[in-house]
Amino acid sequence: MSSTPTRRAAARERRGAAALVAAVLVAVLALAAPPAVARAGTTAPRSHSASATTAPPACGTTDAAQGVPATASSTENSGTPASAAVDGNLNTRWSSAFSDPQWLQLDLGSTQQICQVVLNWETAYGKAYQIQTSADAVNWTTIYSTTSGPGGTETLNVTGSGRYVRLYGTQRGTQYGYSLWEFGIHTTGGVPPIAGGGDLGPNVLVFDPSTPNIQATLDSVFQQQQSAQFGTGRYALLFKPGTYSNINANLGFYTSIAGLGLNPDDTTFNGDVTVDAGWNNGNATQNFWRSAENLALNPVSGTDRWAVAQAAPFRRMDVHGGLNLSPTGYGWASGGYIADSRISGSVGNYSQQQWYTRDSSIGGFSNGVWNQVFSGVQGAPAQSFPSPSYTTLPTTPVSREKPFLYLDGSGNYQVFVPALRTNASGVDWANGTPPGNSLPLSQFYLVKPGATAETINAALAQGLNLLFTPGVYHVDQTINVTRPDTVVLGLGFATIVPDNGVTAMAVSDVDGVKLAGLLFDAGTVNSPVLLQVGQPGASADHTADPTTVQDVFVRVGGAGAGLTTTGMEINSNETVIDHTWIWRADHGTGVGWTVNPADYGLTVHGNNVEATGLFVEHFEKYDVEWSGQGGTTIFFQNEIAYDAPNQAAIQNGNTLGYAAYKVDDNVTSHQGWGLGSYCYFNVDPTIRMDHGFEAPNTPGVQFHDLSVVSLGGDGQYNHVINGVGSPTSGTGTTPSTVVSYP
């Protein structure tokens, strides 16, 4: 059955009403207790009543800074070294150069819980300064700040932990430098090591074939999550190896289902994993935030239904039959993503307006609407864009499959980290155990609801990886990932929210960090960026072991007003972004041009960065801005911000509108395959965009199979890329395409 893309605009218009219904249901569900479900393999919660009367540890009287290594940004002369501030002698001092800023840093030798800092200033004192702590002397957390320091002896009661402590001065109180007789630190003692491993928390439900009432449990979770589009419920449904019969696992919002075998066929359903759109009157364009991984399916009817939209990965699945990507009745659909999966039958695209499939094997593929892209897919249709709309690459240049949790032969949890692949085609498990390595759960800090950013950072500093169990985590300091090859894996769409305008997570410019399965949700105070990979100016070569960002999603608004300048910033070279949806919300609560403002969805400054399965929507300037050399994008889906109040609001110098995908003028090498941008200006339908894509006109910057679409005629494009490509017109949602540029 062919699709009816003209209904897309109507579907989007009806999102507001659907979101209102969802909000009411969320409010009702929030009052209900979590479903009574089996929690196999977890530990019952212990009573914490005794802790309520436990007094906090006393602040020590010993100066922990005495004689520790000290360094400084500068010294006034050889007679005022940094070490003089921690020698216990009030006749010696450290003093700095006569300029701002300046710092004095101490190494306590191990992580300490700091309760008091004493600054014994000489006449030259600091008027504005911060006391900062760090686990690694690279990433700093401020535990005290003032702009009106009085000088003299200041006794500061603080709370924080770290191995390194720094006085960071930004304004001197005199014309001289900063000068300290002594820098004293008092602690409550060393922080006990954080234990790795443990149970998987209250929102991970583990089943084996003998677990009673499996279907009833699945139905209970689905009833809670079916329409909870902006709710706080998060669930991971995990199935131990074995065969499960008569199963139909319907998946709602923020629900992940996965097998616990090393191979998908270790866990087999004689049944289905289903996503449909009955909750939304057959409209699947809002079936976000759910996933299926590492299972074998024998569908009851011979065909499984997976009618999803963005942020709904179908990974490492073995379907013995067909896969239907549309809802019952072939209503609207707007997904999606498949990777590392084998589907013996045909994949029925039907009404899916765009779809990306990577490194898989399929028995066939039917129909295409606007942008269906394949890379490294055995059985994929031949290249034929724009009619049908198939972009087909024989291999994927660089890929690494997502890490996953499994049970080893002794019944112990491990996290498998697949190996890097180049020029891949087909699944990585076709010959049995895939290449890669396993990490025991004891090497992970299991992050559970209530965990603080301070504890998370302490675990990282200790050398642990992170496994976020399902939940919503509010952080008041940046989560700093600084160790090469760290794995940060989320289950059940674990969600991280910055509360005070910090960057939610920052990854150092190191090799091989694996980020997977996380949702970053903007907080109510503007963050400069929600996820940053590599610091600005990062320059290391990571070709042999790149950082990967997989099933990592960004949301600004929708669940409430949220603010950020940039959703995701990639500074590290050779980073692989494998499936992301970076979304400034167009519906829900906290939505509006000045309510959830965000300028940029994704900015890429690193060189040789690759994006496979890139979904970015509704930002107020460039959805994607790429300034690094040698970049590659395979599949891009975009909608321009609906809610621009008028043409002037998006005027970009002499250009009408900000392109959805901008390659900066300095770039001399870039490749894009299968990129689409759609406009639907529901506030001012007269708005026009000069083009959906903008890039320097140079031989090394090449695009293949581009399209722009006006949804229902509410706004139009004048061109596809730069001044090339016919304008869109009318209300028929007929794409304007460019097969090759330049």
Side-chain angles (χ1 to χ4, degrees):
M1 176 177 178
S2 63
S3 68
T4 54
T6 57
R7 294 179 291 178
R8 166 75 175 213
R12 292 292 192 177
E13 283 244 278
R14 289 161 57 182
R15 276 183 167 182
L20 179 60
V21 173
V24 173
L25 287 171
V26 168
V28 172
L29 290 168
L31 299 175
V37 292
R39 289 181 170 84
T42 63
T43 302
R46 299 176 180 176
S47 170
H48 295 280
S49 58
S51 64
T53 59
T54 301
C59 196
T61 58
T62 301
D63 185 356
Q66 284 279 297
V68 304
T71 54
S73 54
S74 67
T75 56
E76 181 182 357
N77 56 56
S78 60
T80 59
S83 59
V86 291
D87 63 1
N89 185 347
L90 291 178
N91 294 311
T92 61
R93 63 186 175 92
W94 162 72
S95 63
S96 74
F98 300 174
S99 61
D100 294 305
Q102 299 290 339
W103 51 262
L104 176 65
Q105 177 181 309
L106 311 182
D107 179 0
L108 302 182
S110 63
T111 301
Q112 300 286 318
Q113 192 69 40
I114 299 162
C115 51
Q116 192 176 81
V117 170
V118 180
L119 303 176
N120 193 331
W121 294 103
E122 193 249 358
T123 302
Y125 69 97
K127 181 178 180 181
Y129 63 86
Q130 295 93 46
I131 303 297
Q132 300 173 326
T133 62
S134 175
D136 56 8
V138 175
N139 301 285
W140 295 91
T141 299
T142 298
I143 61 173
Y144 178 83
S145 179
T146 184
T147 57
S148 57
T153 299
E154 295 184 64
T155 301
L156 313 174
N157 295 318
V158 298
T159 300
S161 66
R163 172 175 172 172
Y164 301 91
V165 183
R166 181 170 75 171
L167 164 74
Y168 188 82
T170 56
Q171 183 182 354
R172 291 162 291 139
T174 70
Q175 72 269 35
Y176 304 108
Y178 296 83
S179 184
L180 279 172
W181 296 112
E182 285 295 303
F183 185 174
I185 295 174
H186 298 273
T187 73
T188 60
V191 176
I194 295 171
D199 69 81
L200 297 175
N203 301 322
V204 176
L205 314 183
V206 183
F207 306 89
D208 63 46
S210 65
T211 302
N213 303 316
I214 294 176
Q215 188 63 54
T217 298
L218 298 177
D219 291 345
S220 180
V221 173
F222 178 63
Q223 287 166 14
Q224 176 175 307
Q225 300 300 113
Q226 180 182 13
S227 55
Q229 182 171 179
F230 297 110
T232 57
R234 303 287 188 274
Y235 287 96
L237 312 175
L238 305 182
F239 287 79
K240 295 181 180 181
T243 300
Y244 299 78
S245 296
N246 303 314
I247 293 290
N248 182 23
N250 277 292
L251 299 187
F253 287 98
Y254 313 109
T255 305
S256 297
I257 191 169
L260 287 170
L262 192 54
N263 187 291
D265 291 302
D266 293 341
T267 308
T268 298
F269 281 10
N270 292 319
D272 298 84
V273 173
T274 301
V275 177
D276 209 339
W279 74 279
N280 198 25
N281 300 313
N283 174 3
T285 62
Q286 295 180 49
N287 281 349
F288 314 136
W289 304 307
R290 62 202 74 197
S291 67
E293 300 182 48
N294 203 30
L295 292 166
L297 304 180
N298 293 307
V300 171
S301 68
T303 299
D304 192 60
R305 184 179 301 278
W306 187 253
V308 297
Q310 291 82 357
F314 194 83
R315 284 185 180 271
R316 200 177 172 76
M317 297 288 285
D318 193 3
V319 181
H320 302 284
L323 187 66
N324 187 333
L325 303 181
S326 71
T328 301
Y330 303 96
W332 305 297
S334 178
Y337 175 91
I338 294 172
D340 200 28
S341 293
R342 182 169 62 195
I343 299 151
S344 65
S346 183
V347 178
N349 182 80
Y350 300 109
S351 54
Q352 283 287 356
Q353 288 145 341
Q354 61 273 321
W355 198 274
Y356 175 54
T357 307
R358 177 183 64 73
D359 298 353
S360 294
S361 174
I362 62 177
F365 196 91
S366 64
N367 198 43
V369 181
W370 295 331
N371 190 31
Q372 280 64 38
V373 179
F374 310 83
S375 68
V377 179
Q378 298 166 357
Q383 169 73 29
S384 59
F385 187 88
S387 182
S389 56
Y390 298 152
T391 298
T392 301
L393 283 71
T395 61
T396 303
V398 180
S399 57
R400 176 193 280 132
E401 299 310 326
K402 178 184 171 184
F404 61 91
L405 190 68
Y406 78 100
L407 285 168
D408 65 18
S410 300
N412 298 313
Y413 285 109
Q414 304 219 32
V415 172
F416 190 80
V417 182
L420 191 70
R421 306 174 77 191
T422 56
N423 298 317
S425 175
V427 301
D428 75 342
W429 45 269
N431 298 318
T433 302
N437 65 288
S438 294
L439 301 174
L441 208 60
S442 60
Q443 294 183 14
F444 287 78
Y445 171 52
L446 270 61
V447 190
K448 299 174 186 175
T452 65
E454 182 179 6
T455 302
I456 294 168
N457 278 326
L460 287 166
Q462 190 178 299
L464 292 172
N465 302 291
L466 299 179
L467 180 66
F468 280 85
T469 69
V472 179
Y473 299 89
H474 289 261
V475 297
D476 59 0
Q477 58 182 256
T478 300
I479 297 172
N480 291 304
V481 182
T482 61
R483 180 175 55 85
D485 295 309
T486 300
V487 176
V488 181
L489 176 62
L491 302 179
F493 290 84
T495 302
I496 301 173
V497 185
D499 282 337
N500 53 354
V502 299
T503 293
M505 183 176 289
V507 179
S508 295
D509 187 30
V510 295
D511 277 352
V513 173
K514 290 87 178 174
L515 304 182
L518 297 170
L519 170 60
F520 292 95
D521 203 354
T524 56
V525 178
N526 188 74
S527 294
V529 61
L530 294 179
L531 172 63
Q532 182 185 73
V533 178
Q535 68 272 19
S539 59
D541 187 323
H542 305 291
T543 303
D545 189 14
T547 286
T548 49
V549 180
Q550 299 178 283
D551 298 349
V552 173
F553 310 116
V554 169
R555 180 172 67 192
V556 184
L563 302 87
T564 190
T565 303
T566 301
M568 186 183 297
E569 177 181 289
I570 307 296
N571 297 307
S572 286
N573 298 331
E574 288 81 42
T575 300
V576 176
I577 309 167
D578 177 42
H579 190 223
T580 185
W581 185 37
I582 304 172
W583 185 57
R584 176 181 166 265
D586 58 27
H587 66 277
T589 58
V591 171
W593 191 252
T594 59
V595 179
N596 64 328
D599 287 345
Y600 307 101
L602 171 69
T603 57
V604 179
H605 306 294
N607 295 330
N608 307 314
V609 172
E610 179 189 271
T612 52
L614 182 59
F615 299 74
V616 189
E617 297 187 303
H618 305 305
F619 287 83
E620 294 182 350
K621 291 185 178 178
Y622 297 119
D623 290 284
V624 172
E625 184 174 12
W626 207 298
S627 61
Q629 301 289 345
T632 299
T633 294
I634 302 173
F635 180 91
F636 172 67
Q637 185 267 326
N638 165 263
E639 288 180 351
I640 299 296
Y642 291 168
D643 55 342
N646 49 52
Q647 187 76 56
I650 57 169
Q651 189 69 20
N652 182 14
N654 294 324
T655 303
L656 299 180
Y658 287 83
Y661 190 108
K662 159 75 171 176
V663 178
D664 283 354
D665 294 344
N666 65 298
V667 175
T668 58
S669 58
H670 190 90
Q671 291 282 333
W673 300 83
L675 283 66
S677 177
Y678 322 138
C679 72
Y680 173 57
F681 294 106
N682 60 4
V683 176
D684 182 358
T686 68
I687 292 175
R688 298 193 70 89
M689 298 278 296
D690 268 341
H691 41 244
F693 303 91
E694 183 178 333
N697 189 356
T698 185
V701 176
Q702 300 176 355
F703 287 89
H704 316 268
D705 301 355
L706 302 177
S707 62
V708 295
V709 179
S710 169
L711 300 174
D714 290 319
Q716 301 287 349
Y717 294 91
N718 292 333
H719 301 285
V720 178
I721 179 168
N722 296 347
V724 177
S726 301
T728 59
S729 62
T731 62
T733 63
T734 300
S736 177
T737 62
V738 168
V739 173
S740 181
Y741 181 88

